[in-house]
Amino acid sequence: PNPFNPATNIRFVVGRSGPVRIEIFSVKGERVRVLVAEEREAGAYTVRWNGTGDGGRPVPSGAYLCRIVNGGQVDTQPMLLLK
């Protein structure tokens, strides 16, 4: 789902039950939004990001990074928000 407007679905797989954290960062490394910060069972999931920051305000068009952390695994994917 790249580029996206106004929202995107982020699909991810939890290989081993445990804590999962999904965060959106600007390309400058500033955290924009925490989408998931909880325990999840092993399986496939989808979470939606509507292009807003933690405070609920829309973020500007541009490049963002989605970081998914599950146990010792970290995956980072680029995303492009176009308005």
Side-chain angles (χ1 to χ4, degrees):
N2 243 336
F4 71 95
N5 176 4
T8 187
N9 291 319
I10 300 165
R11 293 170 187 84
F12 62 100
V13 175
V14 176
R16 185 178 307 151
S17 298
V20 175
R21 189 164 184 92
I22 300 178
E23 299 171 293
I24 307 297
F25 290 87
S26 72
V27 291
K28 294 179 181 179
E30 299 164 331
R31 190 181 76 211
V32 172
R33 178 87 185 259
V34 176
L35 297 175
V36 175
E38 62 190 22
E39 297 281 326
R40 293 277 177 115
E41 296 294 321
Y45 296 90
T46 301
V47 66
R48 187 168 178 83
W49 182 43
N50 62 358
T52 61
D54 279 333
R57 290 190 157 166
V59 298
S61 295
Y64 293 89
L65 300 171
C66 176
R67 182 173 72 180
I68 302 171
V69 180
N70 175 228
Q73 294 185 314
V74 178
D75 185 32
T76 303
Q77 297 293 321
M79 300 186 304
L80 185 60
L81 171 61
L82 295 178
K83 294 185 179 181

